[in-house]
């Protein structure tokens, strides 16, 4: 087997975003495109020679080809070993766990998460470091630098490695170990939660349904919920991972998980419904007739985690991304926990978790997780919910209402305006940034603006900083509007408008979210001049 040196020239725009490099699959399939980025990862981490890596992904179209290329480039770079999930499958949290469990130097996850998959859709590549978490900005910065100056890469000429057969083979001098993607992760979950109590609840007639959305969590959810916990066969729907996710968006929100929402709003709705995304790091929780806002779910889990064995000694602290509602802060305050506010993206939680400052983290985008791995973890959230329900004897709706009665309700929604021309979206943000200082004291849509700023973050552990992480506008009475541009899209720009209001009046707990946020929504449109800049009056997604 020969190592070949290939000459190349840089591609524009190989800049990792909120979570890895995401582009159209066709772009990744262009000659040298994937190879350039992988070689740049090797440069960014100081070379791959002698290292051991984990490799896997959500199974989307082109993953199998990409995995073979990465293996041949790792071998050519002198890597010692690559541990691969069978069929190149590994959910994001399972990959994070494998990196930590085996003490590897990091790993590569092939996924564009909740973005659709297929030849005309999206693909992505993400590098995680030895702590199991997404590479911090310092590392992604070095990778991006390398993509701008690359002149060549090395790749082994070889046959494909059989990734369907579990066991160890070699590729040139490098070892390739193909592992069961589910087993280690399922054992980890069983070590955290009271499976006996959940099993008993299910045996007692508690019904649940989980939608894997034709993505990676199918095999994980089947093993955990059906095999280990005894849920009826078929409780996991859309359970076979498909390269195009059945043609849908594997995004667990009320729009894309409509099938599950309908089941949970039917007469004979199960007691608990949940869904996860393409790569298994997100979760959506639904009770009979009730969608649980992810920001509320984070707060409820933080408040009740002690009911699960892993968190019996307390959760110490909670971190949330800045646009996530402040419901979790209220739990922290009342229970004497530390609270942190970080920029969007899981990589910002890594230091807080490594340093033991927090044990539970979450984002409004349906990501919740803890210190057992360094990624958000969809099935972990589902299992913690089940553990809390089993231990408290309460149903989802009762638990949510009890929580609001104790802490008040932070009414919350995110409006996404997708496919906006990038220049227009940037102009909107620039325009608003320029007016922030003049906003406090003004009254808009019947609400007085108390404060406005642009969020920047200083990591309390290593002092690193991240500027320009979103514009925040605080309204009188506890309302808040946040605006930022998405860092995970592949066409044009997506404007995210995060809307929040506060009530402690139990009569308002049951109100429709969009209706209750009417004033805040009107204020957001007026303040940011959304129609003027984008021509849009209505969002594409209300999550
Ligand atoms: C989105 C979410 C963010 C999440 C990120 C990756 O980023 O808002 O909370 O961490 O996706 O999640 P953005 O920049 O588009 O707003 V996933 O499940 O795609 O790994
Ligand atoms: Co994801």
């Amino acid at each position: 087997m020969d190592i070949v040196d290939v000459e190349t020239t840089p591609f524009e725009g190989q800049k990792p975003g909120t979570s890895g490099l995401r582009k159209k699959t066709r772009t990744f399939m262009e000659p040298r495109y994937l190879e350039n980025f992988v070689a740049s990862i090797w440069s960014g981490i100081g070379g791959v020679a002698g290292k051991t890596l984990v490799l896997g992904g959500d199974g989307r179209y082109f993953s199998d080809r990409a995995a073979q290329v990465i293996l041949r480039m790792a071998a050519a770079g002198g890597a010692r070993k690559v541990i691969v999930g069978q069929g190149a499958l590994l959910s994001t949290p399972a990959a994070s766990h494998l990196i930590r469990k085996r003490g590897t130097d990091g790993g590569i996850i092939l996924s564009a998460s909740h973005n659709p998959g297929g030849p005309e859709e999206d693909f992505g590549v993400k590098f995680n470091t030895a702590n199991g978490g997404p590479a911090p900005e310092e590392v992604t910065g070095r990778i991006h630098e390398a993509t701008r100056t690359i002149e060549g890469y090395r790749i082994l000429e070889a046959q494909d490695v059989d990734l369907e057969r579990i066991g160890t083979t070699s590729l040139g001098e490098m070892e390739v170990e193909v592992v069961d993607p589910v087993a280690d992760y399922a054992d980890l979950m069983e070590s955290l939660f009271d499976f006996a109590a959940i099993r008993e609840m299910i045996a007692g007639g508690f019904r649940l349904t989980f939608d894997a959305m034709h993505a990676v969590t199918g095999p994980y959810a089947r093993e955990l919920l059906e095999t280990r916990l005894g849920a009826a066969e078929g409780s996991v729907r859309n359970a076979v991972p498909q390269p195009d996710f059945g043609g849908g968006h594997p995004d667990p929100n009320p729009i894309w998980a409509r099938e599950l929402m309908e089941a949970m709003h039917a007469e004979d709705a199960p007691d608990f419904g949940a869904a996860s995304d393409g790569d298994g790091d997100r979760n959506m929780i639904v009770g009979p007739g009730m969608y649980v806002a992810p920001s509320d779910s984070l707060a409820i889990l933080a408040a009740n985690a002690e009911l699960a064995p892993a968190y019996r000694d307390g959760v110490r602290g909670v971190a949330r991304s800045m646009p996530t509602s402040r419901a979790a802060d209220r739990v922290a305050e009342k229970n004497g926990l530390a609270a942190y506010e970080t920029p969007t993206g899981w990589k910002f939680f890594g230091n807080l978790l490594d340093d033991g400052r927090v044990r539970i983290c979450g984002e409004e985008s349906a990501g919740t997780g803890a210190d057992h791995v360094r990624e958000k973890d969809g099935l972990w959230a589902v299992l913690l919910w089940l553990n809390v329900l089993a231990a408290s004897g309460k149903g989802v709706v009762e638990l949510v209402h009890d929580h609001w009665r104790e802490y008040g309700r932070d009414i919350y929604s995110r409006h996404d305006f997708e496919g906006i021309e990038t220049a227009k979206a940037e102009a909107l943000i620039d325009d608003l940034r320029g007016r922030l200082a003049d906003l406090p004291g003004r009254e808009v849509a019947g609400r007085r603006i108390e404060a406005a700023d642009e969020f920047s973050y200083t990591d309390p552990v290593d002092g690193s900083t991240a500027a320009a992480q979103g514009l925040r506008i605080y309204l009188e009475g506890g309302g808040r509007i946040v605006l930022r541009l998405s860092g995970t899209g592949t066409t044009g720009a997506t404007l995210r408008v995060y809307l929040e209001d506060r009530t402690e009046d139990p009569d308002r707990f049951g109100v429709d979210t969009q209706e209750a946020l009417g004033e805040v929504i009107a204020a957001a449109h007026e303040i940011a001049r959304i129609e003027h800049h984008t021509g849009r009056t209505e969002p594409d997604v209300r999550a």
Side-chain angles (χ1 to χ4, degrees):
M1 279 182 265
D2 290 334
I3 292 175
V4 192
D5 281 295
V6 182
E7 276 184 28
T8 189
T9 49
F11 288 93
E12 270 293 301
Q14 290 198 324
K15 185 177 194 302
T18 312
S19 179
L21 182 70
R22 293 187 194 179
K23 297 287 171 193
K24 286 286 161 209
T25 310
R26 291 260 180 242
T27 304
F28 263 108
M29 290 169 73
E30 279 173 34
R32 301 181 292 102
Y33 192 91
L34 171 69
E35 290 84 346
N36 269 23
F37 190 65
V38 173
S40 301
I41 295 178
W42 300 165
S43 304
I45 62 171
V48 76
K51 291 184 175 164
T52 298
L53 297 179
V54 163
L55 174 64
D58 60 18
R60 68 182 57 227
Y61 184 84
F62 189 56
S63 299
D64 47 351
R65 298 312 315 148
Q68 298 291 345
V69 167
I70 292 167
L71 286 172
R72 295 208 302 273
M73 289 184 69
R80 195 176 78 75
K81 178 172 179 169
V82 179
I83 303 167
V84 196
Q86 187 181 24
L89 285 183
L90 275 177
S91 77
T92 288
S96 182
H97 177 52
L98 208 50
I99 292 169
R100 296 164 66 80
K101 185 175 181 207
R102 299 292 202 91
T104 74
D105 299 286
I108 290 183
I109 299 173
L110 305 173
S111 169
S113 190
H114 56 287
N115 299 22
E120 306 307 328
E121 300 293 352
D122 294 349
F123 192 76
V125 176
K126 186 169 80 152
F127 183 75
N128 282 29
T129 46
N131 74 345
E137 304 244 294
E138 184 210 341
V139 177
T140 55
R142 281 203 302 269
I143 293 170
H144 180 220
E145 253 333 288
T147 67
R148 287 148 52 111
T149 52
I150 187 166
E151 293 177 342
Y153 60 82
R154 313 191 85 192
I155 187 161
L156 192 73
E157 263 186 347
Q159 297 289 312
D160 282 0
V161 180
D162 181 358
L163 296 180
E164 293 306 325
R165 212 176 48 228
I166 288 180
T168 300
T169 52
S170 58
L171 181 62
E173 308 275 287
M174 185 180 84
E175 217 180 288
V176 178
E177 183 185 346
V178 178
V179 299
D180 176 344
V182 175
D184 286 334
Y185 175 83
D187 291 347
L188 173 68
M189 291 300 115
E190 198 157 353
S191 76
L192 299 174
F193 302 114
D194 189 347
F195 269 41
I198 303 173
R199 213 180 289 122
E200 200 180 314
M201 174 175 77
I202 290 172
F206 180 95
R207 289 187 305 134
L208 64 89
T209 177
F210 178 91
D211 192 340
M213 304 189 83
H214 306 285
V216 79
T217 47
Y220 295 86
R222 267 198 170 149
E223 169 66 17
L224 284 159
L225 302 175
E226 295 183 6
T227 305
R228 298 199 188 192
L229 289 168
E233 210 176 299
S235 297
V236 180
R237 55 179 83 207
N238 302 319
V240 180
Q242 287 175 25
D244 68 347
F245 308 123
H249 284 235
D251 191 348
N253 65 36
I255 307 279
W256 292 113
R258 183 171 308 138
E259 187 187 318
L260 178 79
M261 289 301 282
E262 278 168 11
M264 292 308 296
H265 283 81
E267 282 273 305
D268 62 340
D271 300 291
F272 180 84
S276 190
D277 69 334
D279 60 331
D281 56 0
R282 296 190 182 199
N283 71 90
M284 176 174 83
I285 304 295
V286 199
M290 179 193 250
Y291 164 72
V292 183
S295 292
D296 278 339
S297 175
L298 169 67
I300 290 166
L301 291 182
N304 294 285
E306 286 174 25
L307 294 173
Y311 311 103
R312 219 140 258 169
D313 297 337
V315 297
R316 228 160 14 233
V318 192
R320 60 164 176 85
S321 67
M322 181 274 282
T324 305
S325 96
R326 290 160 291 173
D329 301 15
R330 308 188 197 285
V331 173
E333 200 184 336
K334 203 160 181 178
N335 297 283
L337 307 173
Y340 294 87
E341 183 179 45
T342 59
T344 296
W346 209 261
K347 59 191 165 206
F348 294 102
F349 295 132
N351 280 343
L352 300 174
L353 290 163
D354 284 349
D355 202 46
R357 290 172 184 241
V358 301
R359 296 196 65 200
I360 290 191
C361 307
E363 296 192 275
E364 54 67 41
S365 54
T368 354
D371 55 359
H372 62 290
V373 290
R374 291 295 177 273
E375 288 278 5
K376 52 190 186 277
D377 188 342
L379 274 162
W380 169 88
V382 169
L383 292 167
L384 180 51
W385 263 94
L386 291 174
N387 196 146
V388 168
L389 296 176
S392 67
K394 292 180 186 173
V396 174
V397 177
E398 190 187 357
L399 194 68
V400 172
H401 277 275
D402 283 357
H403 186 89
W404 288 339
R405 260 193 298 279
E406 187 167 355
Y407 297 96
R409 179 175 175 197
D410 294 273
I411 309 165
Y412 189 86
S413 181
R414 190 190 74 230
H415 288 192
D416 291 337
F417 299 80
E418 296 173 347
I420 300 175
E421 230 175 87
T422 306
K424 289 184 178 168
E426 282 168 357
L428 180 149
I429 295 288
D430 288 343
D431 170 28
L432 180 57
R433 182 184 287 123
R435 291 184 286 115
L436 281 179
D438 301 330
L439 293 178
R442 281 187 48 200
E443 196 171 303
V444 183
R447 298 289 286 263
R448 215 179 68 86
I449 300 173
E450 275 183 347
D453 67 3
E454 179 160 35
F455 181 55
S456 60
Y457 180 66
T458 303
D459 185 302
V461 179
D462 68 9
S464 58
T465 57
Q469 296 297 320
L471 307 179
R472 303 188 286 196
I473 295 144
Y474 295 92
L475 306 176
E476 178 183 38
R480 186 178 73 154
I481 299 161
V482 171
L483 294 101
R484 58 179 283 280
L485 301 183
S486 157
T488 56
T490 57
T491 27
T494 294
L495 170 69
R496 299 204 195 280
V497 183
Y498 308 85
L499 305 144
E500 189 176 344
D501 210 355
R502 169 93 184 140
T503 180
E504 290 177 19
D505 174 3
D507 289 342
R508 289 194 67 211
F509 289 165
V511 291
D512 173 74
T513 303
Q514 301 301 325
E515 230 175 274
L517 287 172
E519 274 179 16
V520 179
I521 294 169
H525 279 263
E526 196 177 326
I527 295 168
R529 309 209 290 157
I530 294 174
E531 187 176 3
H532 167 82
H533 284 289
T534 68
R536 306 278 180 89
T537 53
E538 297 292 324
D540 300 280
V541 173
R542 292 178 177 87

